[in-house]
Every structure is written in C-alpha cells, then in structure tokens.
Amino acid sequence: MGTHRPRVLVLADVGSPSYHVGDEAVGQAAAARLAERGLTPVVVSNGRHLAADYEGLEVVTGPPLPLDRVELVGAHRALAADPAAAERGRHGPALEAIARNVGAVDAVLVAGGGNLASAFDWLLYQRIAHLLLAQRRGLPTAVSGQTLGPVLVDADIAELAPVMGAARTIGLRERRSSELGRRIQPRDVTADCLDDAQFFGPFGADEPGAGVLAAGGAPRTVVATVAPPGPHVHPGEQAERFARDLVALHERTGCRILLVPHKGRIPGAGGEDEAVAEDIQRRARCPMISVEPVTSARRAAEAVGEADLVITNRYHPVVFALARGVPVLPLVEDDYADARIDGVLDRWGLAGRGVPVRTLDEGEITAAALAVWEERGAYVAHIRAAAPDLRAFHEQWWDALAARLAADAALAVPLPWLCRPRPLPAPPLLAGLRRRGLPALRLTGELAQLRAELLEERAENRLARHNDPNLT
C-alpha cells in the first residue's frame, strides 16, 4: 500500500500570454522543491504555460479575476460572505475554478511569482481568495519568497491580514517586505527567506565566478536584460540610451553583448522585453550586439551563468547572477524595483548597489558597468564566502516549509534563521550614483502610494453607490 503524498496547490503566476522568465522560474523551482520532499505539487497556470517546463507535473488552469478594481473587490467580498452565491454571480467561473482547485488538494502554497501589492490588485486578490477558501476548509496554507508591497492600501491590508494570520508560514524575500509583514501580522510565522528561484537552473561544476576570473582584464560576454520603461519615459529614448552605452562598453572592452529578454511571446514572436531588445540592437548597428529570443526560464538562467557581467533593470537576472558569482549592474526604475532589487542584494550582503536609472547622465551606464567589472575579484570572493550558508539556509527553508504544509503538528517545526553575510561596500561610483538618485526614487514610491489610495477611494465610492442607489 503506497504512502500518501500530500497534494499542494502552487500559485506563481505562470502561463501568462507573455512568457515571464522570473514567474516561470519561481513556479518550476517551488514545484521541484516540494516534489523533492515527498509532496505532490499541483501548479496553477493562467493557461499558456509551456508543457516542457512542467513535464511530469500536474497543472490546472485558473481563470483570471477582473482587472477593474470595483469588480475585483466586489467579487472578493461576495466570495468572503457567501462562496456558493458568489460562484453563481458575474465572475462565477473564475471563483468556481478557485474553489474547485482548492477542493482537490491538501494544502496551498503562494509562491513568489506575482507580488502581494496594491499595484497588482488582481493578483493580490487571487491569492487572498485561494488562502481564504483553503483556510475555511481547514487546509494548511503558506507563502514563500514573496514581495509584500511596498504599496498596500488600507482596504487591501484589511483583506490580507487575516489570511496571513491564519497561514502556517509567511516567507518574505526582502527587508522592506519583512518589515511591512511584521507590522501587518506580527505572529512568529512571518519570516525572512530567499527568492524561491534563488538557486534555480543549471549550475556548472566550477565554483561561482570561475569563468569571470578566467576572463582576464576585460569581460568577454555581457548579458543585458532590459524591461520596457515606466510611463514617463518614451521607449525610443530608453532604447537609444542603452544602445549608445552598450556600444561604448563594447568599444572600451571588446566584449560581445547578448540581449536576453525575460518577457516575450513564445516562440520568439516579439513583445515587451523582446521588442525593447530588438530596438536596442537596431539602433546600435553593432555586429557584436545580438538578441537571444525568449525560449525558457532555464535557458535564461543558463545565459547569465555563461556571462562575465550582467546589466539589467529586472529582478531575476540579479537573482541568477548572485547565485552564479557573476558581477551585476542593477538599474532600478522606481521605488518598487528598488525594494525588490536592493532587497535581494541585501540578502547577499550587497545592499546599496541598485543604481537609479532615471537620474543617470550620458555614459554613466557604461561607467557604472566598468566599475562593477573592476570590483570582480572582491565580488567573486564575497559570493563564494556567502553562497554555502545561503544555499544551506534555502534547503532548510524548504525542509521546514514542506513539513509545515504536511504535518499535523506543523508549527512545532522551526523555521531556519537567515543570517546575512558581512556587507561588501559598493564601489564608490555606484554609491555616489545611488545617493544622487535616491530622492527621485523615493518620490516615485510616494506617488505610487498616493495613486493607489486615490484608486481605492474611487472604488469604495463606486461600490457604495452600487450597494445603495440612494447615494449620489
């Protein structure tokens, strides 16, 4: 007679129309970690996942919740009040699918793909709904490798706090997320952890950074991953800036530059990062700058491992580079990006290296990249010293998480304690560029909070008028 392997529903925002390397890496990594520990992962997909990414795993489809905040909040409150009635309402198919998927498993894990923030309220409420229904059924629930906020409005906190309080573990991957999480839910289940995909993908047999140190005086291959800019920067202006700086970097070092998009439409049909990369290549007119289309999360991680230097304004290229000892220049667009990118750097003792890109002058991306390269020896030594303890912590984290999802006496299983490595100071140029750009960076955070609060107020007013026609 076989041993029962608890079935764990895994949410990681996989299978979107645009393939997102980071979310897919998180989904695959979380599923693999659970399976290694004797659990059966059941991955929730938005419906467009690559079968090869989840070969041998059970995948279920979760229809999206409404994007309009009034409809989204209204649907969630109806679900919380009367799930059966909500499943018969306008958004019944999506809510019924959540209930069906939760009803077919033994536990629910919200992994790191898709953040718990008011800016992504459709993802936030999807996750709250899964946790709520699972907890009402008495199922174990947990969160791992998540970003919380940094923008969360009061109405969203009011819905999130109870399901956080009823979860067995809340794992948060950055310092600011952890601080906010402990204010929202101070129970001892809230804990520091690493990104779920921190050690995802292929690794060579050599020590981290071996290829970097073998490169000699100049990088041979630079991987650049560039996401589209925010709403106040014209895409053409961004592409022109990166084209000029990457050409200058090639002329200074002789390196080959590989543009590796982390978001695009499979198979390589353009869109998002791919469109940005193709525009940069077109403007650069340099045969040593090429584009590698999006193919899989594993390949994107592997490409980072083959590089001598990484330049990026996305989160997961930084995650992949740290684990492999590849020097990385992190460019941050706004306060949200800084919370995440400087947060993962902080976990490795490398905080203060995220460079605010909007305040950079002509040529400063090139100068910053060269400063990162000049520091490679100290950087690689730092990563080699930090990696064994962080990798051991990551294994212990998943051991404890799996036990808490499966065991009856789950809270008796202690969570490991994350000890940050001794900090390595940032190169002076990066530290100076960061100081100069921090005021503008923080302003983007304040504006994002104000915008979210305005949208919340408008939504609450519309909901009130809908519920009481006598209101004007």
Side-chain angles (χ1 to χ4, degrees):
M1 188 172 178
T3 302
H4 175 64
R5 292 170 60 96
R7 292 162 53 81
V8 181
L9 197 67
V10 179
L11 284 86
D13 199 27
V14 308
S16 297
S18 286
Y19 188 95
H20 189 172
V21 164
D23 290 344
E24 300 291 342
V26 163
Q28 293 168 50
R33 296 289 180 176
L34 293 175
E36 289 166 0
R37 289 158 176 82
L39 283 71
T40 301
V42 180
V43 180
V44 178
S45 167
N46 296 320
R48 302 286 186 88
H49 63 280
L50 293 182
D53 284 349
Y54 301 94
E55 186 176 0
L57 297 174
E58 184 178 349
V59 179
V60 296
T61 301
L65 292 175
L67 294 179
D68 178 80
R69 182 171 176 86
V70 174
E71 292 190 29
L72 178 68
V73 174
H76 174 74
R77 290 177 181 173
L79 178 71
D82 187 346
E87 290 171 25
R88 296 191 298 269
R90 179 177 178 185
H91 300 292
L95 300 177
E96 192 276 333
I98 293 174
R100 183 178 63 250
N101 292 336
V102 169
V105 298
D106 302 299
V108 171
L109 172 65
V110 174
N115 299 151
L116 301 175
S118 294
F120 309 105
D121 50 10
W122 66 97
L123 292 174
L124 173 65
Y125 278 90
Q126 182 201 46
R127 281 140 179 75
I128 294 174
H130 279 82
L131 294 171
L132 176 68
L133 292 183
Q135 290 163 3
R136 286 185 175 178
R137 288 175 176 267
L139 302 182
T141 58
V143 174
S144 179
Q146 263 291 345
T147 291
L148 189 62
V151 172
L152 270 174
V153 297
D154 290 342
D156 295 345
I157 291 174
E159 302 291 349
L160 180 61
V163 295
M164 286 179 61
R168 291 187 170 180
T169 305
I170 302 290
L172 301 170
R173 63 188 178 185
E174 308 104 2
R175 176 182 52 80
R176 288 174 64 182
S177 291
S178 296
E179 291 171 352
L180 178 56
R182 291 186 177 100
R183 290 200 299 271
I184 293 173
Q185 186 49 258
R187 288 184 62 217
D188 61 2
V189 294
T190 301
D192 296 347
C193 68
L194 302 175
D195 183 79
D196 293 334
Q198 180 62 86
F199 296 100
F200 169 79
F203 284 81
D206 295 331
E207 284 191 274
V212 174
L213 298 182
R220 299 159 299 186
T221 300
V222 174
V223 161
T225 298
V226 184
H232 304 297
V233 178
H234 190 279
E237 177 185 339
Q238 181 204 43
E240 186 64 31
R241 161 181 275 191
F242 273 95
R244 288 197 300 267
D245 277 288
L246 292 177
V247 168
L249 183 61
H250 162 68
E251 291 175 345
R252 291 280 299 274
T253 66
C255 67
R256 176 178 77 103
I257 295 170
L258 184 64
L259 294 160
V260 179
H262 269 222
K263 199 169 184 182
R265 300 186 187 278
I266 297 291
E272 307 209 28
D273 291 23
E274 281 193 357
V276 173
E278 289 164 0
D279 194 14
I280 291 171
Q281 182 190 37
R282 190 163 47 246
R283 293 169 184 270
R285 299 185 182 87
C286 175
M288 294 299 288
I289 297 179
S290 58
V291 178
E292 179 175 303
V294 178
T295 56
S296 73
R298 288 185 65 83
R299 173 54 202 155
E302 184 178 48
V304 167
E306 294 168 353
D308 300 316
L309 176 67
V310 171
I311 300 171
T312 187
N313 63 354
R314 276 206 180 273
Y315 176 81
H316 273 96
V318 180
V319 172
F320 298 157
L322 289 169
R324 290 161 176 81
V326 177
V328 58
L329 171 61
L331 302 170
V332 293
E333 294 277 349
D334 53 26
D335 185 62
Y336 169 67
D338 190 55
R340 297 168 74 235
I341 290 176
D342 205 61
V344 69
L345 291 166
D346 176 61
R347 293 294 198 236
W348 285 79
L350 295 165
R353 291 160 182 265
V355 175
V357 69
R358 296 190 189 190
T359 52
L360 293 182
D361 293 330
E362 180 79 23
E364 286 186 331
I365 292 177
T366 305
L370 291 171
V372 169
W373 175 250
E374 288 302 317
E375 188 212 23
R376 63 194 179 280
Y379 172 92
V380 169
H382 179 86
I383 294 293
R384 287 181 175 180
D389 287 344
L390 290 175
R391 188 181 281 274
F393 165 84
H394 200 53
E395 295 296 328
Q396 294 163 11
W397 171 263
W398 282 99
D399 289 344
L401 187 63
R404 287 187 169 213
L405 286 170
D408 291 334
L411 296 184
V413 179
L415 295 171
W417 184 264
L418 178 62
C419 296
R420 292 173 182 79
R422 184 185 300 274
L424 177 68
L429 177 62
L430 265 64
L433 294 175
R434 181 171 175 81
R435 280 194 303 272
R436 190 178 75 195
L438 272 179
L441 207 60
R442 296 294 174 251
L443 180 60
T444 66
E446 294 169 9
L447 292 174
Q449 181 70 39
L450 289 172
R451 180 179 184 275
E453 291 172 357
L454 177 60
L455 291 175
E456 176 199 11
E457 182 179 357
R458 288 178 176 175
E460 292 297 335
N461 289 339
R462 286 173 59 194
L463 281 167
R465 289 195 297 270
H466 175 77
N467 295 330
D468 186 351
N470 294 319
L471 293 175
T472 58

